[in-house]
Amino acid sequence: MSKTQPARGMRDFLPADIRKRNYVINIIREVYESYGFEPLETPAIENLETLTGKYGEEGNQLMFKILKRGEKLDLARGENLADLALRYDLTVPLARVVANYKNELPRFFKRYQIQPVWRADRPARGRFREFYQCDVDAIGSHSMVVEAELISAVCEILTRLGFDDFTIRINHREVLRSLLNKTGIPESQHSDALVAIDKLDKIGRESVSYEFIQRGISSEAGDKLFDLFEQISQIVSDKIKDRFNINGEILLALTTFLDYQKGEWNVLENEIIKILEFSTNNHLLVDPTLARGLSYYTGAIFEIQVPDLAGSLGGGGRYDGLIGMFGKEQIPACGFSLGLERIVVVMEERGMFDKLIADGKLKDDSADVLITLWNEESVGESLKLAGELRQKGLRALVYPEADKLGKQFKYASQLNIPFVCVLGDEELAANKVTLKNMTTGTQEKFLRTEVAGEIK
Amino acid sequence: MSKTQPARGMRDFLPADIRKRNYVINIIREVYESYGFEPLETPAIENLETLTGKYGEEGNQLMFKILKRGEKLDLARGENLADLALRYDLTVPLARVVANYKNELPRFFKRYQIQPVWRADRPARGRFREFYQCDVDAIGSHSMVVEAELISAVCEILTRLGFDDFTIRINHREVLRSLLNKTGIPESQHSDALVAIDKLDKIGRESVSYEFIQRGISSEAGDKLFDLFEQISQIVSDKIKDRFNINGEILLALTTFLDYQKGEWNVLENEIIKILEFSTNNHLLVDPTLARGLSYYTGAIFEIQVPDLAGSLGGGGRYDGLIGMFGKEQIPACGFSLGLERIVVVMEERGMFDKLIADGKLKDDSADVLITLWNEESVGESLKLAGELRQKGLRALVYPEADKLGKQFKYASQLNIPFVCVLGDEELAANKVTLKNMTTGTQEKFLRTEVAGEIK
């Protein structure tokens, strides 16, 4: 007897789960499409070399690799046992696609992609080894209109799902790198430092400092960086704790404090302030400590938080260098990724799905009507009635076995089916159907041609 | 520079592909739901032991296995390098789910599942290493109502997709095993024999005979089996070449010829004839040579053919023993699987999608309207107009950069966008929008509040 549980960190989704997930996915898809993003899908399996070296150190460790097959494995002799790997995110495959189909794709390619990715991470609350990313990316433009539209789409999705207390933190990789330079951390250690800073939220300052030392970054540099973060925070704390205020006051304070050189000033003025100005919503918060774990970001970075979840609901940023790793051309790109599982977990815990079901916005029944089976001889008639009701747009389920009527009613209640059509000898003789309303318990006979109308 | 092609046998789906695939998937989902089937999803990755020994020999060879990670791999020393594998079909995961959640699931569990599976097969026309199965299964009943409903649902799907020339071949594993017994092939070699017979369509009689010998089945037994097949075919050829005729005449001829014992008679009388009687459609064809490759089938088996595809569009059957391999209980089950890729390939080659697009039933545009960007100062207004149009249910795309108007129009044509809203200085001053109809080329000015109505 084999084990029946799913593999570690993986989950099965029963019908009620899928209905909730699809409700969320449909809203995400609808909003993305309303912004002119088009659907794309890529294979779950990529060549190992496509993924290697794109995500930084953590990515290489957490990737699921696929064993070579047949002769190729025999020849491998312990070296390079894998030639393929499972998709680790949707961004690197997108970059590959853009490089590969450059001539078929429009100059500005706006795509969304809702597919699972796999990471051999330690499973935890809201963290699974298979999870869905709902990505949206705009390729081909340096314009900050892109960031603004992405933020706007994501805000609209969360608002339509019923969230009103989310914050989109925003920072910029060049600003971060500037800070790192000021503390004396050499360029070659920037990626290491960013991976560690990314964990600040979860593990706190001390653990990040410890990780710095482990990664060979001097404790002086670490201390200096945290001092910088703290000083900035003090200067802007009042205003940062409120939502960002469109005139860029905080950024001015911030940039003045940091005494940016011309180039750095430009980044802030031309990019972050523009994004804030274009995005007329009150969910944005500038956070100078936001780092993001992946190594491919080059510009603005984002992360979405809600108060009752330690991790983020999603995040993203600009990655102008990634597509160039696949093609001859550097093509600018920026995107956002929503984590389906995180959104569903929070909605579940807040009772948001229960409310949707109560309001009739989310179905929790298996069918509109159950058709009973009286005896072996009436199978044909029960199947025929089902066909008639389906033709009229109803979801009709036929009880598969001739059984006691009580059992068939019980089955209908168990599946939340609101109506049962009883088709017995008497009904068949009169060309009628007894319709039982499972909510009120009332039963009434109708002509077969009328019954669909009654159910509706 | 990394390679940009997808891995061998894998494919990227650009927006136009996804729209076609989703059109097919939506019809499949709608019909399955109209029969009371509920959605289920299982993880892509399963424990290796869950999949091992369930599919027969071919399955073990073609499975994508996942390399152990970290320490576990170091300890493996060349033995058992893999602990996980990619989903090979949707049936074995379903059996695992039914055994695992038995107490949460209804007595009769009707589920559909539309997800990719992976097989390291040699890629060919319509055969890929990642492909979507659209499965529908009914668990918990021995009743032939199940087979009849499954066949009916699949027929409805194919008919709604626009197919009228498909055939559902039907046979029964017990009948096949009976034939094998008659030819003297021992029980222990039945699975081997079935794998070989399954290829009859593709490779022909001689190659199957050769494979029999390679698998240690005597050439006499093979010859005898083919003689049996031929004799049956001769007896029933006239009638089998027509579609099956509901009174069971052919089966009577067949069973008389085979001189079945009581038990075998019952199988045919109680199962196949019932299925044919319950299924009032003219697509069924009884084919005594139909074998199906997978080892888990125990009863009726099906396969769907169209004249212009060598392989099948889908298939299925009854597998009453599979769930018992995971749980303490034997639970009867029967299902059907449609191959999305095969369906899409045939629809593409027959021009069925072009017709759907021409009839307005399938979209091929990226958005309903493009909003131009005049200059940096008008970004806010263009974004605002987009928001207004989206609120009215339109898909509105904002051109991301201030650029020549001609270029922006060209971009709209390239993406098949039927309308462009021009928002220049003049329009902004008058609180109007110039609307260009890209099909007719006409331009007209409208109030901003009117423009959504005009587009619709």
Side-chain angles (χ1 to χ4, degrees):
Chain A
M1 207 172 84
S2 306
K3 277 196 298 188
T4 61
Q5 288 84 30
R8 181 163 183 250
M10 311 283 165
R11 281 163 314 150
D12 298 312
F13 298 108
L14 300 188
D17 304 315
I18 296 292
R19 288 192 192 99
K20 290 170 189 168
R21 291 166 67 85
N22 284 349
Y23 175 86
V24 174
I25 286 174
N26 284 339
I27 286 184
I28 293 174
R29 185 182 288 143
E30 251 179 66
V31 173
Y32 284 163
E33 290 194 354
S34 80
Y35 279 76
F37 291 97
E38 302 191 79
L40 178 83
E41 289 182 13
T42 63
I45 298 175
E46 292 277 358
N47 286 314
L48 189 54
E49 62 162 321
T50 299
L51 305 186
T52 306
K54 306 297 188 302
Y55 299 104
E57 154 208 356
E58 209 186 43
N60 289 338
Q61 279 169 16
L62 300 186
M63 211 174 280
F64 281 108
K65 299 186 179 101
I66 294 175
L67 202 61
K68 288 180 179 170
R69 293 146 307 283
E71 272 180 19
K72 280 192 192 166
L73 180 61
D74 298 339
L75 291 171
R77 290 190 199 152
E79 298 296 312
N80 300 325
L81 292 167
D83 55 349
L84 302 167
L86 289 184
R87 189 166 55 207
Y88 188 81
D89 76 350
L90 304 178
T91 311
V92 170
L94 171 66
R96 178 183 62 67
V97 162
V98 172
N100 198 48
Y101 306 90
K102 212 171 57 69
N103 299 331
E104 295 166 53
L105 297 175
R107 184 175 163 214
F108 305 116
F109 179 46
K110 294 176 73 175
R111 86 87 175 81
Y112 71 90
Q113 186 170 354
I114 302 175
Q115 287 192 291
V117 303
W118 295 270
R119 297 183 188 175
D121 217 337
R122 197 178 295 272
R125 170 168 170 267
R127 189 165 70 219
F128 305 98
R129 295 181 145 199
E130 171 179 81
F131 55 98
Y132 268 68
Q133 292 196 326
C134 309
D135 273 32
V136 66
D137 292 80
I139 311 294
S141 175
H142 291 284
S143 162
M144 292 302 115
V145 168
V146 164
E147 275 85 345
E149 284 265 277
L150 289 169
I151 289 169
S152 175
V154 162
C155 282
E156 193 173 326
I157 287 166
L158 293 172
T159 305
R160 278 190 53 186
L161 287 173
F163 289 95
D164 53 7
D165 57 348
F166 63 93
T167 303
I168 302 182
R169 294 192 294 153
I170 177 168
N171 198 16
H172 199 290
R173 271 281 168 96
E174 281 190 41
V175 175
L176 263 175
R177 288 188 182 276
S178 238
L179 281 176
L180 294 176
N181 282 335
K182 273 180 210 302
T183 59
I185 298 173
E187 290 269 352
S188 62
Q189 289 187 310
H190 280 192
S191 293
D192 272 351
L194 291 174
V195 169
I197 299 167
D198 180 50
K199 300 178 187 159
L200 187 58
D201 269 3
K202 292 164 219 154
I203 63 176
R205 171 174 169 167
E206 251 175 76
S207 301
V208 172
S209 297
Y210 180 72
E211 200 170 320
F212 269 16
I213 293 162
Q214 280 190 312
R215 287 168 186 271
I217 297 169
S218 76
S219 60
E220 291 74 26
D223 288 346
K224 204 169 163 191
L225 182 69
F226 281 107
D227 281 352
L228 272 173
F229 280 156
E230 248 168 47
Q231 287 176 56
I232 297 169
S233 295
Q234 260 175 348
I235 290 179
V236 296
S237 71
D238 296 339
K239 288 167 188 170
I240 277 194
K241 272 182 188 154
D242 298 331
R243 297 289 148 78
F244 185 76
N245 150 352
I246 214 71
N247 61 19
E249 242 178 275
I250 295 160
L251 276 174
L252 283 175
L254 215 143
T255 49
T256 310
F257 165 78
L258 288 173
D259 188 20
Y260 276 117
Q261 304 303 310
K262 196 174 173 303
E264 293 150 0
W265 241 116
N266 280 345
V267 168
L268 289 170
E269 233 188 343
N270 289 338
E271 305 211 347
I272 299 220
I273 293 180
K274 246 181 216 160
I275 295 170
L276 295 167
E277 280 174 353
F278 291 164
S279 309
T280 52
N281 76 64
N282 58 356
H283 293 284
L284 284 169
L285 174 73
V286 178
D287 180 350
T289 71
L290 176 69
R292 302 284 297 154
L294 298 173
S295 62
Y296 51 58
Y297 293 116
T298 55
I301 46 179
F302 324 103
E303 211 164 275
I304 309 167
Q305 248 83 38
V306 284
D308 44 348
L309 188 82
S312 69
L313 289 187
R318 185 168 272 282
Y319 50 98
D320 288 346
L322 186 60
I323 299 169
M325 293 170 82
F326 289 98
K328 284 173 199 136
E329 223 178 308
Q330 289 293 354
I331 299 177
C334 184
F336 228 115
S337 178
L338 290 171
L340 178 64
E341 279 68 20
R342 306 285 183 87
I343 292 175
V344 169
V345 158
V346 176
M347 287 182 71
E348 190 79 72
E349 290 180 359
R350 291 187 183 184
M352 290 160 80
F353 289 120
D354 295 336
K355 195 173 172 312
L356 287 166
I357 290 170
D359 293 349
K361 288 177 187 161
L362 175 61
K363 285 196 192 255
D364 70 336
D365 52 9
S366 308
D368 298 313
V369 56
L370 176 80
I371 293 160
T372 62
L373 202 61
W374 192 250
N375 56 30
E376 186 81 356
E377 284 66 47
S378 66
V379 167
E381 284 301 323
S382 286
L383 293 178
K384 210 175 133 203
L385 175 62
E388 290 163 17
L389 299 179
R390 285 172 196 143
Q391 278 241 305
K392 290 177 179 159
L394 292 172
R395 294 170 298 150
L397 197 159
V398 180
Y399 198 85
E401 299 176 357
D403 207 339
K404 283 180 192 149
L405 218 47
K407 260 191 161 173
Q408 303 193 38
F409 285 139
K410 206 177 143 195
Y411 179 74
S413 336
Q414 198 191 348
L415 294 184
N416 288 329
I417 301 175
F419 291 95
V420 176
C421 280
V422 181
L423 204 61
D425 288 340
E426 204 183 306
E427 285 87 355
L428 280 170
N431 201 25
K432 290 199 166 181
V433 172
T434 298
L435 185 67
K436 178 166 177 163
N437 181 322
M438 297 297 288
T439 320
T440 63
T442 53
Q443 296 196 18
E444 209 180 327
K445 280 204 177 61
F446 293 99
L447 285 174
R448 269 171 77 154
T449 49
E450 295 172 349
V451 72
E454 278 304 314
I455 293 169
K456 283 177 182 168
Chain B
M1 205 172 85
S2 307
K3 277 195 300 189
T4 60
Q5 287 84 28
R8 180 163 182 251
M10 311 282 164
R11 283 163 312 151
D12 298 313
F13 297 107
L14 301 189
D17 303 316
I18 295 291
R19 287 190 195 102
K20 290 170 189 169
R21 291 166 67 85
N22 284 349
Y23 175 86
V24 175
I25 286 175
N26 283 339
I27 286 185
I28 293 174
R29 186 182 286 142
E30 252 179 66
V31 173
Y32 284 163
E33 290 194 354
S34 80
Y35 279 76
F37 291 97
E38 303 190 79
L40 178 84
E41 288 182 13
T42 63
I45 297 175
E46 292 278 356
N47 286 314
L48 190 53
E49 60 162 324
T50 299
L51 305 186
T52 305
K54 306 298 188 303
Y55 300 104
E57 157 208 353
E58 207 186 47
N60 289 337
Q61 278 169 16
L62 301 185
M63 211 173 279
F64 281 108
K65 300 188 178 96
I66 294 175
L67 203 61
K68 287 179 179 173
R69 293 145 307 282
E71 272 179 20
K72 279 192 194 165
L73 180 61
D74 299 339
L75 291 171
R77 287 184 202 165
E79 299 295 313
N80 299 325
L81 292 166
D83 55 349
L84 302 167
L86 288 184
R87 190 165 53 208
Y88 187 81
D89 76 351
L90 304 178
T91 312
V92 170
L94 170 66
R96 178 184 62 66
V97 162
V98 172
N100 197 49
Y101 306 90
K102 209 171 59 70
N103 299 329
E104 293 167 54
L105 297 176
R107 185 177 161 211
F108 304 117
F109 180 45
K110 294 176 74 177
R111 86 89 176 78
Y112 71 88
Q113 186 169 354
I114 302 174
Q115 287 193 288
V117 303
W118 296 270
R119 298 183 187 174
D121 217 337
R122 197 179 296 272
R125 169 167 171 267
R127 189 164 71 217
F128 305 98
R129 293 181 146 201
E130 171 178 81
F131 56 99
Y132 268 67
Q133 292 195 326
C134 309
D135 273 32
V136 66
D137 293 80
I139 311 294
S141 177
H142 290 283
S143 162
M144 292 302 115
V145 168
V146 164
E147 275 85 345
E149 284 266 275
L150 290 168
I151 289 169
S152 174
V154 163
C155 283
E156 193 172 326
I157 287 166
L158 293 172
T159 305
R160 278 190 54 187
L161 287 173
F163 289 94
D164 52 9
D165 58 348
F166 62 93
T167 303
I168 302 184
R169 293 193 294 152
I170 176 168
N171 198 13
H172 199 290
R173 271 284 168 95
E174 281 189 40
V175 175
L176 264 175
R177 286 187 183 275
S178 240
L179 283 175
L180 294 176
N181 282 334
K182 274 180 209 304
T183 59
I185 298 173
E187 291 269 350
S188 61
Q189 288 187 311
H190 280 192
S191 295
D192 271 352
L194 292 174
V195 169
I197 299 168
D198 180 49
K199 299 178 188 161
L200 187 57
D201 268 4
K202 291 166 219 152
I203 63 176
R205 174 174 166 165
E206 251 176 76
S207 302
V208 172
S209 296
Y210 181 71
E211 202 170 320
F212 268 16
I213 293 161
Q214 278 190 314
R215 286 166 187 272
I217 296 169
S218 77
S219 61
E220 290 76 26
D223 287 346
K224 203 167 164 194
L225 182 69
F226 281 108
D227 281 352
L228 273 175
F229 281 156
E230 249 170 46
Q231 288 177 56
I232 298 170
S233 296
Q234 260 175 347
I235 290 180
V236 295
S237 70
D238 294 341
K239 289 168 186 169
I240 278 193
K241 271 182 190 154
D242 297 332
R243 295 289 146 79
F244 185 76
N245 148 354
I246 215 74
N247 61 19
E249 243 177 277
I250 294 160
L251 276 174
L252 282 176
L254 215 144
T255 50
T256 310
F257 166 76
L258 289 173
D259 188 20
Y260 275 119
Q261 305 303 310
K262 197 175 172 301
E264 293 151 359
W265 241 115
N266 279 344
V267 167
L268 289 170
E269 232 189 343
N270 290 336
E271 306 211 344
I272 300 221
I273 293 180
K274 247 180 216 157
I275 295 170
L276 294 168
E277 280 174 353
F278 292 164
S279 308
T280 50
N281 77 65
N282 58 357
H283 292 284
L284 284 169
L285 174 73
V286 178
D287 180 351
T289 71
L290 176 69
R292 302 284 298 151
L294 298 173
S295 62
Y296 51 59
Y297 292 117
T298 56
I301 46 179
F302 323 104
E303 213 165 275
I304 309 168
Q305 248 84 37
V306 283
D308 44 348
L309 189 81
S312 70
L313 288 188
R318 185 168 273 281
Y319 49 99
D320 287 347
L322 186 59
I323 299 169
M325 295 170 81
F326 289 99
K328 284 172 198 135
E329 225 179 307
Q330 288 294 354
I331 299 178
C334 184
F336 229 114
S337 178
L338 290 171
L340 178 64
E341 280 68 19
R342 306 285 182 88
I343 292 174
V344 168
V345 158
V346 177
M347 288 181 71
E348 191 78 72
E349 289 180 359
R350 292 188 182 183
M352 289 160 80
F353 290 120
D354 294 337
K355 192 170 176 313
L356 287 165
I357 290 170
D359 293 349
K361 288 177 186 160
L362 175 62
K363 285 195 192 259
D364 70 336
D365 53 7
S366 309
D368 298 314
V369 56
L370 176 81
I371 294 160
T372 62
L373 202 62
W374 193 250
N375 55 29
E376 187 81 355
E377 284 65 45
S378 65
V379 167
E381 284 302 323
S382 284
L383 293 178
K384 211 174 132 204
L385 175 62
E388 291 163 15
L389 298 180
R390 285 172 196 144
Q391 278 242 304
K392 290 178 179 159
L394 292 172
R395 294 170 299 150
L397 196 158
V398 180
Y399 198 86
E401 299 176 356
D403 207 340
K404 282 178 193 153
L405 218 45
K407 260 192 163 173
Q408 302 193 39
F409 286 138
K410 205 177 143 197
Y411 179 73
S413 338
Q414 198 191 348
L415 294 184
N416 288 331
I417 301 176
F419 291 96
V420 176
C421 281
V422 181
L423 204 61
D425 287 341
E426 204 182 305
E427 284 88 354
L428 280 170
N431 201 26
K432 289 198 167 182
V433 173
T434 298
L435 185 66
K436 176 165 180 166
N437 181 324
M438 296 297 289
T439 321
T440 62
T442 55
Q443 296 197 19
E444 208 180 326
K445 279 204 176 61
F446 294 98
L447 284 175
R448 268 173 76 153
T449 48
E450 294 171 348
V451 73
E454 278 304 315
I455 293 169
K456 284 179 181 167

